[in-house]
Amino acid sequence: MTSTHSRARRAGFAAFVGTTIEWYDFYVYATAAALVFGPLFFPSDDPLAETAAAFATFAVAFLVRPLGGIVFGHIGDKLGRRVSLVITLLLMGVATVLVGCLPTYADIGIAAPILLIALRALQGLAVGGEWGGAVLMSVEHAPEKSKTFYGGFTQLGNPAGALLASGVFAIMSRGGETFIIDGGWRIPFIASIVLIGVGLWVRYRVEESPVFASKVEGRKQSMPLAFALRANWLPILLGIGLLPISTGGYYLATTFATAYATGETVALSEQLILDAMTVASFVEFLVTLPIAWLGDRWGRKNIMYIGLVTSVLTFAPFLLVMPGRIEPAVFLLASLVRVAMSATYAPIAAILAQMFRPQARYTSIALAYGVGAAVWAGFSPWFATQLIAWTGSVWSVIAMFTGMAVLAGICTRLAPQHSDEAPVTASFTPRTDTRTNRLP
């Protein structure tokens, strides 16, 4: 048991480091899209149109993520999780550094946004294969009774990456009103090259997933995608339905909230909202693993239900308090909504991983998460911006958020949970782990 936990800790740490770097790269782009990419790459007489265009390029990565899940899921199911994860880390790093080197619209005209969209698509391709593999490396190394906790190490990379990204921009906002837009925005992108080197070193030191080695090796599918669509189509659909708040809601509370707060209607200072998001990311970082630990004690689904309800109850006042410009309230609610969302995000790694059979599991989880992120996260900031333009009220966004939470709750209720400790059979049909599949 001790050696099992030791391997699980190493795998969990490697997953944490890798996903931190991947999400840092992703959130650096998201923050830049909310603050400066509109006027730099999509200049217009209408500031709202600039922001909407920047968010549209943000959505491109999510549209490509299912393709990344298919490509790297195939590699991960055929050659191993570690091989796929090394490739995705390199791809993300190269794309991010190149974004930091791009000329703007003022320099090369229409070619600038085209190149930006192409590099954003490469980021999406990398993340589409990254998350599923990192989840499986941490969850499949973990003992059955601790899968939610060790899966939380993968999820810990999200707030850590967000903390690094928003922290760097918060520091740069102190360089003067025009420092970021005058070229400071390039610094976080180019600095990613250092993180990539660290991530590759850590990932090369972790052994392959024991579930892949013992249950799949020698019985691998020649076409993992075909097997996934044939045998796992219903869990894949439920997995997509699980994700509205864990993915889309998260970007509403971060990327959209940043743009809304700094827009003409609310007009909070960039420094204030970036400071609030940095503090919120730090708070989320602190609570993610304890919440994942509770998932193994109280039932991972029960934690998900708590997170869905409390996310709605904190997201609404977070948006409503902004026009009042009460700074302590903005800081408090930015953190509270991230704590609530941690309860929808921390257990999702174990929930999704245990929804699928060992065969084609990488492809299945990457496809579910990639399509779910494309549907929910890719368009949420853009659609929320449009809702405010159409209705003139932030209540429309709150209503959308609430509907997303209801759907996630229903799909959580229906999601199956399997055990990796079940005997291997020719059909690879796992038994249900009733302890981790508690239903209220």
Side-chain angles (χ1 to χ4, degrees):
M1 180 63 72
T2 301
S3 60
T4 300
H5 279 283
S6 177
R7 289 196 302 271
R9 283 193 294 271
R10 288 197 300 271
F13 178 71
F16 161 65
V17 171
T19 52
T20 295
I21 296 166
E22 295 270 3
W23 288 120
Y24 165 81
D25 290 344
F26 213 69
Y27 285 131
V28 160
Y29 187 102
T31 306
L35 296 177
V36 299
F37 277 177
L40 288 176
F41 290 91
F42 307 93
S44 168
D45 293 333
D46 183 359
L48 193 61
E50 290 180 345
T51 301
F55 280 158
T57 69
F58 175 75
V60 166
F62 291 94
L63 295 177
V64 179
R65 281 172 71 163
L67 177 60
I70 293 171
V71 172
F72 293 108
H74 182 89
I75 294 172
D77 282 323
K78 295 281 289 183
L79 303 178
R81 285 54 165 132
R82 188 172 63 174
V83 174
S84 184
L85 289 173
V86 168
I87 298 173
T88 59
L89 192 62
L90 280 172
L91 182 61
M92 174 64 91
V94 170
T96 302
V97 172
L98 289 178
V99 169
C101 300
L102 275 183
T104 64
Y105 190 94
D107 299 317
I108 60 172
I110 192 64
I114 292 174
L115 290 172
L116 181 68
I117 291 169
L119 292 174
R120 181 60 175 167
L122 288 179
Q123 282 192 324
L125 196 71
V127 171
E130 155 69 23
W131 188 85
V135 162
L136 295 184
M137 284 293 280
S138 56
V139 172
E140 289 181 345
H141 272 91
E144 197 68 36
K145 295 181 179 180
S146 303
K147 286 188 179 294
T148 311
F149 174 70
Y150 285 109
F153 278 88
T154 303
Q155 307 306 77
L156 195 62
N158 189 303
L163 175 62
L164 285 174
S166 60
V168 169
F169 273 98
I171 292 171
M172 290 194 303
S173 70
R174 288 162 169 78
E177 291 185 2
T178 63
F179 176 75
I180 293 178
I181 199 167
D182 285 345
W185 65 271
R186 298 181 184 277
I187 296 173
F189 288 91
I190 296 173
S192 175
I193 194 169
V194 178
L195 299 177
I196 298 301
V198 174
L200 288 173
W201 180 77
V202 170
R203 282 203 165 157
Y204 266 119
R205 295 169 60 87
V206 179
E207 60 193 78
E208 185 54 80
S209 158
V211 173
F212 174 82
S214 65
K215 292 194 174 185
V216 182
E217 190 69 37
R219 294 189 177 95
K220 292 179 285 192
Q221 294 292 315
S222 59
M223 290 297 295
L225 176 62
F227 179 88
L229 294 177
R230 183 178 69 252
N232 294 339
W233 65 269
L234 181 57
I236 288 173
L237 289 178
L238 290 172
I240 293 169
L242 275 166
L243 295 168
I245 298 300
S246 304
T247 57
Y250 192 89
Y251 288 101
L252 288 175
T254 54
T255 305
F256 166 75
T258 299
Y260 175 68
T262 57
E264 291 183 348
T265 302
V266 177
L268 287 176
S269 72
E270 289 182 2
Q271 182 175 324
L272 171 63
I273 193 64
L274 287 171
D275 285 347
M277 290 298 179
T278 301
V279 171
S281 296
F282 180 68
V283 171
E284 183 185 0
F285 179 81
L286 293 179
V287 303
T288 295
L289 277 184
I291 289 174
W293 179 83
L294 286 176
D296 288 318
R297 272 75 190 159
W298 296 356
R300 57 182 77 120
K301 285 190 174 185
N302 291 334
I303 295 296
M304 185 76 168
Y305 297 135
I306 292 170
L308 292 172
V309 173
T310 54
S311 291
V312 174
L313 295 178
T314 52
F315 179 73
F318 176 46
L319 293 187
L320 294 173
V321 78
M322 287 183 182
R325 302 182 185 179
I326 305 173
E327 294 187 9
V330 172
F331 273 83
L332 175 63
L333 287 166
S335 295
L336 288 179
V337 72
R338 296 285 279 276
V339 171
M341 286 190 163
S342 290
T344 73
Y345 195 68
I348 204 72
I351 291 175
L352 278 178
Q354 299 312 111
M355 286 175 66
F356 303 106
R357 306 172 180 186
Q359 281 178 308
R361 178 180 276 176
Y362 197 143
T363 299
S364 299
I365 190 174
L367 193 57
Y369 194 81
V371 173
V375 172
W376 306 115
F379 291 99
S380 290
W382 172 83
F383 193 67
T385 303
Q386 296 300 325
L387 277 178
I388 290 182
W390 295 334
T391 66
S393 172
V394 75
W395 278 102
S396 58
V397 179
I398 295 171
M400 179 181 75
F401 189 97
T402 303
M404 291 161 62
V406 171
L407 176 62
I410 293 171
C411 291
T412 299
R413 175 69 172 80
L414 298 175
Q417 295 287 270
H418 303 302
S419 169
D420 287 338
E421 293 181 354
V424 182
T425 65
S427 62
F428 285 90
T429 302
R431 62 178 171 84
T432 299
D433 185 345
T434 55
R435 192 194 65 78
T436 55
N437 190 30
R438 298 177 185 170
L439 301 176

PDB file of all heavy atoms in Angstrom, residues 342-363:
ATOM      1  N   SER A 342     -14.719  25.040  -7.177  1.00  0.00           N
ATOM      2  CA  SER A 342     -13.759  23.974  -6.891  1.00  0.00           C
ATOM      3  C   SER A 342     -14.475  22.666  -6.583  1.00  0.00           C
ATOM      4  O   SER A 342     -13.973  21.582  -6.888  1.00  0.00           O
ATOM      5  CB  SER A 342     -12.868  24.361  -5.708  1.00  0.00           C
ATOM      6  OG  SER A 342     -11.985  25.395  -6.049  1.00  0.00           O
ATOM      7  N   ALA A 343     -15.645  22.783  -5.976  1.00  0.00           N
ATOM      8  CA  ALA A 343     -16.416  21.588  -5.653  1.00  0.00           C
ATOM      9  C   ALA A 343     -17.040  20.953  -6.891  1.00  0.00           C
ATOM     10  O   ALA A 343     -17.453  19.788  -6.855  1.00  0.00           O
ATOM     11  CB  ALA A 343     -17.505  21.922  -4.636  1.00  0.00           C
ATOM     12  N   THR A 344     -17.101  21.684  -8.007  1.00  0.00           N
ATOM     13  CA  THR A 344     -17.541  21.084  -9.266  1.00  0.00           C
ATOM     14  C   THR A 344     -16.351  20.643 -10.101  1.00  0.00           C
ATOM     15  O   THR A 344     -16.513  19.865 -11.048  1.00  0.00           O
ATOM     16  CB  THR A 344     -18.380  22.074 -10.114  1.00  0.00           C
ATOM     17  OG1 THR A 344     -17.527  23.079 -10.687  1.00  0.00           O
ATOM     18  CG2 THR A 344     -19.441  22.741  -9.273  1.00  0.00           C
ATOM     19  N   TYR A 345     -15.163  21.128  -9.763  1.00  0.00           N
ATOM     20  CA  TYR A 345     -13.984  20.847 -10.570  1.00  0.00           C
ATOM     21  C   TYR A 345     -13.073  19.800  -9.940  1.00  0.00           C
ATOM     22  O   TYR A 345     -12.537  18.937 -10.636  1.00  0.00           O
ATOM     23  CB  TYR A 345     -13.204  22.144 -10.815  1.00  0.00           C
ATOM     24  CG  TYR A 345     -12.183  22.046 -11.921  1.00  0.00           C
ATOM     25  CD1 TYR A 345     -12.588  21.893 -13.246  1.00  0.00           C
ATOM     26  CD2 TYR A 345     -10.819  22.093 -11.664  1.00  0.00           C
ATOM     27  CE1 TYR A 345     -11.662  21.789 -14.276  1.00  0.00           C
ATOM     28  CE2 TYR A 345      -9.887  21.994 -12.685  1.00  0.00           C
ATOM     29  CZ  TYR A 345     -10.316  21.845 -13.991  1.00  0.00           C
ATOM     30  OH  TYR A 345      -9.403  21.732 -15.000  1.00  0.00           O
ATOM     31  N   ALA A 346     -12.906  19.852  -8.619  1.00  0.00           N
ATOM     32  CA  ALA A 346     -11.995  18.918  -7.953  1.00  0.00           C
ATOM     33  C   ALA A 346     -12.391  17.452  -8.157  1.00  0.00           C
ATOM     34  O   ALA A 346     -11.521  16.612  -8.404  1.00  0.00           O
ATOM     35  CB  ALA A 346     -11.913  19.249  -6.455  1.00  0.00           C
ATOM     36  N   PRO A 347     -13.674  17.086  -8.074  1.00  0.00           N
ATOM     37  CA  PRO A 347     -14.015  15.669  -8.233  1.00  0.00           C
ATOM     38  C   PRO A 347     -14.212  15.225  -9.676  1.00  0.00           C
ATOM     39  O   PRO A 347     -14.373  14.032  -9.925  1.00  0.00           O
ATOM     40  CB  PRO A 347     -15.347  15.561  -7.465  1.00  0.00           C
ATOM     41  CG  PRO A 347     -15.978  16.891  -7.597  1.00  0.00           C
ATOM     42  CD  PRO A 347     -14.832  17.885  -7.626  1.00  0.00           C
ATOM     43  N   ILE A 348     -14.201  16.162 -10.633  1.00  0.00           N
ATOM     44  CA  ILE A 348     -14.564  15.806 -12.005  1.00  0.00           C
ATOM     45  C   ILE A 348     -13.548  14.863 -12.635  1.00  0.00           C
ATOM     46  O   ILE A 348     -13.894  14.045 -13.494  1.00  0.00           O
ATOM     47  CB  ILE A 348     -14.744  17.079 -12.860  1.00  0.00           C
ATOM     48  CG1 ILE A 348     -15.665  16.797 -14.057  1.00  0.00           C
ATOM     49  CG2 ILE A 348     -13.409  17.614 -13.360  1.00  0.00           C
ATOM     50  CD1 ILE A 348     -17.102  16.629 -13.700  1.00  0.00           C
ATOM     51  N   ALA A 349     -12.280  14.930 -12.230  1.00  0.00           N
ATOM     52  CA  ALA A 349     -11.260  14.038 -12.798  1.00  0.00           C
ATOM     53  C   ALA A 349     -11.608  12.585 -12.497  1.00  0.00           C
ATOM     54  O   ALA A 349     -11.617  11.727 -13.393  1.00  0.00           O
ATOM     55  CB  ALA A 349      -9.887  14.384 -12.229  1.00  0.00           C
ATOM     56  N   ALA A 350     -11.902  12.290 -11.230  1.00  0.00           N
ATOM     57  CA  ALA A 350     -12.235  10.911 -10.857  1.00  0.00           C
ATOM     58  C   ALA A 350     -13.582  10.491 -11.429  1.00  0.00           C
ATOM     59  O   ALA A 350     -13.754   9.343 -11.861  1.00  0.00           O
ATOM     60  CB  ALA A 350     -12.238  10.778  -9.332  1.00  0.00           C
ATOM     61  N   ILE A 351     -14.557  11.392 -11.415  1.00  0.00           N
ATOM     62  CA  ILE A 351     -15.881  11.048 -11.950  1.00  0.00           C
ATOM     63  C   ILE A 351     -15.776  10.649 -13.417  1.00  0.00           C
ATOM     64  O   ILE A 351     -16.280   9.600 -13.835  1.00  0.00           O
ATOM     65  CB  ILE A 351     -16.863  12.226 -11.779  1.00  0.00           C
ATOM     66  CG1 ILE A 351     -17.199  12.448 -10.308  1.00  0.00           C
ATOM     67  CG2 ILE A 351     -18.155  11.947 -12.561  1.00  0.00           C
ATOM     68  CD1 ILE A 351     -18.075  13.674 -10.056  1.00  0.00           C
ATOM     69  N   LEU A 352     -15.117  11.471 -14.216  1.00  0.00           N
ATOM     70  CA  LEU A 352     -15.013  11.178 -15.647  1.00  0.00           C
ATOM     71  C   LEU A 352     -14.147   9.950 -15.922  1.00  0.00           C
ATOM     72  O   LEU A 352     -14.494   9.113 -16.758  1.00  0.00           O
ATOM     73  CB  LEU A 352     -14.443  12.388 -16.392  1.00  0.00           C
ATOM     74  CG  LEU A 352     -15.429  13.506 -16.743  1.00  0.00           C
ATOM     75  CD1 LEU A 352     -14.701  14.646 -17.440  1.00  0.00           C
ATOM     76  CD2 LEU A 352     -16.556  13.007 -17.623  1.00  0.00           C
ATOM     77  N   ALA A 353     -13.013   9.832 -15.219  1.00  0.00           N
ATOM     78  CA  ALA A 353     -12.117   8.698 -15.460  1.00  0.00           C
ATOM     79  C   ALA A 353     -12.818   7.375 -15.186  1.00  0.00           C
ATOM     80  O   ALA A 353     -12.639   6.393 -15.920  1.00  0.00           O
ATOM     81  CB  ALA A 353     -10.864   8.826 -14.600  1.00  0.00           C
ATOM     82  N   GLN A 354     -13.632   7.326 -14.122  1.00  0.00           N
ATOM     83  CA  GLN A 354     -14.275   6.074 -13.733  1.00  0.00           C
ATOM     84  C   GLN A 354     -15.590   5.827 -14.465  1.00  0.00           C
ATOM     85  O   GLN A 354     -16.278   4.858 -14.190  1.00  0.00           O
ATOM     86  CB  GLN A 354     -14.498   6.059 -12.221  1.00  0.00           C
ATOM     87  CG  GLN A 354     -13.211   6.158 -11.403  1.00  0.00           C
ATOM     88  CD  GLN A 354     -12.137   5.192 -11.869  1.00  0.00           C
ATOM     89  OE1 GLN A 354     -11.121   5.605 -12.419  1.00  0.00           O
ATOM     90  NE2 GLN A 354     -12.348   3.902 -11.672  1.00  0.00           N
ATOM     91  N   MET A 355     -15.929   6.682 -15.401  1.00  0.00           N
ATOM     92  CA  MET A 355     -17.116   6.454 -16.224  1.00  0.00           C
ATOM     93  C   MET A 355     -16.831   5.516 -17.396  1.00  0.00           C
ATOM     94  O   MET A 355     -17.757   5.005 -18.021  1.00  0.00           O
ATOM     95  CB  MET A 355     -17.654   7.792 -16.766  1.00  0.00           C
ATOM     96  CG  MET A 355     -18.362   8.632 -15.730  1.00  0.00           C
ATOM     97  SD  MET A 355     -18.856  10.262 -16.361  1.00  0.00           S
ATOM     98  CE  MET A 355     -20.095   9.797 -17.585  1.00  0.00           C
ATOM     99  N   PHE A 356     -15.529   5.258 -17.684  1.00  0.00           N
ATOM    100  CA  PHE A 356     -15.173   4.534 -18.900  1.00  0.00           C
ATOM    101  C   PHE A 356     -14.359   3.286 -18.592  1.00  0.00           C
ATOM    102  O   PHE A 356     -13.643   3.205 -17.592  1.00  0.00           O
ATOM    103  CB  PHE A 356     -14.380   5.451 -19.832  1.00  0.00           C
ATOM    104  CG  PHE A 356     -15.109   6.708 -20.196  1.00  0.00           C
ATOM    105  CD1 PHE A 356     -14.735   7.931 -19.644  1.00  0.00           C
ATOM    106  CD2 PHE A 356     -16.185   6.674 -21.052  1.00  0.00           C
ATOM    107  CE1 PHE A 356     -15.413   9.090 -19.969  1.00  0.00           C
ATOM    108  CE2 PHE A 356     -16.872   7.819 -21.380  1.00  0.00           C
ATOM    109  CZ  PHE A 356     -16.493   9.028 -20.841  1.00  0.00           C
ATOM    110  N   ARG A 357     -14.414   2.315 -19.516  1.00  0.00           N
ATOM    111  CA  ARG A 357     -13.641   1.086 -19.411  1.00  0.00           C
ATOM    112  C   ARG A 357     -12.170   1.360 -19.727  1.00  0.00           C
ATOM    113  O   ARG A 357     -11.850   2.340 -20.398  1.00  0.00           O
ATOM    114  CB  ARG A 357     -14.190   0.064 -20.415  1.00  0.00           C
ATOM    115  CG  ARG A 357     -15.684  -0.188 -20.278  1.00  0.00           C
ATOM    116  CD  ARG A 357     -16.194  -1.051 -21.415  1.00  0.00           C
ATOM    117  NE  ARG A 357     -17.621  -1.293 -21.292  1.00  0.00           N
ATOM    118  CZ  ARG A 357     -18.307  -2.115 -22.076  1.00  0.00           C
ATOM    119  NH1 ARG A 357     -17.670  -2.752 -23.050  1.00  0.00           N
ATOM    120  NH2 ARG A 357     -19.588  -2.293 -21.905  1.00  0.00           N
ATOM    121  N   PRO A 358     -11.258   0.491 -19.270  1.00  0.00           N
ATOM    122  CA  PRO A 358      -9.839   0.714 -19.562  1.00  0.00           C
ATOM    123  C   PRO A 358      -9.536   0.799 -21.052  1.00  0.00           C
ATOM    124  O   PRO A 358      -8.707   1.591 -21.475  1.00  0.00           O
ATOM    125  CB  PRO A 358      -9.159  -0.502 -18.927  1.00  0.00           C
ATOM    126  CG  PRO A 358     -10.071  -0.889 -17.812  1.00  0.00           C
ATOM    127  CD  PRO A 358     -11.452  -0.627 -18.323  1.00  0.00           C
ATOM    128  N   GLN A 359     -10.200  -0.027 -21.874  1.00  0.00           N
ATOM    129  CA  GLN A 359      -9.999   0.064 -23.315  1.00  0.00           C
ATOM    130  C   GLN A 359     -10.512   1.415 -23.812  1.00  0.00           C
ATOM    131  O   GLN A 359     -11.626   1.812 -23.487  1.00  0.00           O
ATOM    132  CB  GLN A 359     -10.777  -1.037 -24.032  1.00  0.00           C
ATOM    133  CG  GLN A 359     -10.120  -2.406 -23.997  1.00  0.00           C
ATOM    134  CD  GLN A 359     -11.019  -3.414 -24.688  1.00  0.00           C
ATOM    135  OE1 GLN A 359     -12.178  -3.521 -24.360  1.00  0.00           O
ATOM    136  NE2 GLN A 359     -10.454  -4.157 -25.626  1.00  0.00           N
ATOM    137  N   ALA A 360      -9.696   2.104 -24.571  1.00  0.00           N
ATOM    138  CA  ALA A 360     -10.070   3.389 -25.177  1.00  0.00           C
ATOM    139  C   ALA A 360     -10.498   4.415 -24.131  1.00  0.00           C
ATOM    140  O   ALA A 360     -11.244   5.341 -24.443  1.00  0.00           O
ATOM    141  CB  ALA A 360     -11.188   3.209 -26.207  1.00  0.00           C
ATOM    142  N   ARG A 361     -10.020   4.276 -22.915  1.00  0.00           N
ATOM    143  CA  ARG A 361     -10.411   5.219 -21.860  1.00  0.00           C
ATOM    144  C   ARG A 361      -9.854   6.610 -22.124  1.00  0.00           C
ATOM    145  O   ARG A 361     -10.548   7.609 -21.906  1.00  0.00           O
ATOM    146  CB  ARG A 361      -9.927   4.704 -20.494  1.00  0.00           C
ATOM    147  CG  ARG A 361     -10.252   5.637 -19.346  1.00  0.00           C
ATOM    148  CD  ARG A 361      -9.752   5.091 -18.024  1.00  0.00           C
ATOM    149  NE  ARG A 361     -10.706   4.154 -17.450  1.00  0.00           N
ATOM    150  CZ  ARG A 361     -10.486   3.462 -16.326  1.00  0.00           C
ATOM    151  NH1 ARG A 361      -9.319   3.581 -15.709  1.00  0.00           N
ATOM    152  NH2 ARG A 361     -11.405   2.644 -15.854  1.00  0.00           N
ATOM    153  N   TYR A 362      -8.600   6.680 -22.579  1.00  0.00           N
ATOM    154  CA  TYR A 362      -7.993   7.987 -22.873  1.00  0.00           C
ATOM    155  C   TYR A 362      -8.817   8.700 -23.949  1.00  0.00           C
ATOM    156  O   TYR A 362      -9.178   9.874 -23.809  1.00  0.00           O
ATOM    157  CB  TYR A 362      -6.553   7.772 -23.348  1.00  0.00           C
ATOM    158  CG  TYR A 362      -5.657   8.996 -23.318  1.00  0.00           C
ATOM    159  CD1 TYR A 362      -4.313   8.884 -22.975  1.00  0.00           C
ATOM    160  CD2 TYR A 362      -6.135  10.252 -23.652  1.00  0.00           C
ATOM    161  CE1 TYR A 362      -3.468   9.986 -22.963  1.00  0.00           C
ATOM    162  CE2 TYR A 362      -5.304  11.369 -23.638  1.00  0.00           C
ATOM    163  CZ  TYR A 362      -3.978  11.226 -23.301  1.00  0.00           C
ATOM    164  OH  TYR A 362      -3.147  12.325 -23.288  1.00  0.00           O
ATOM    165  N   THR A 363      -9.116   8.000 -25.041  1.00  0.00           N
ATOM    166  CA  THR A 363      -9.900   8.593 -26.117  1.00  0.00           C
ATOM    167  C   THR A 363     -11.272   9.027 -25.628  1.00  0.00           C
ATOM    168  O   THR A 363     -11.754  10.122 -25.953  1.00  0.00           O
ATOM    169  CB  THR A 363     -10.058   7.588 -27.273  1.00  0.00           C
ATOM    170  OG1 THR A 363      -8.764   7.247 -27.781  1.00  0.00           O
ATOM    171  CG2 THR A 363     -10.897   8.177 -28.396  1.00  0.00           C
TER     172      THR A 363
END
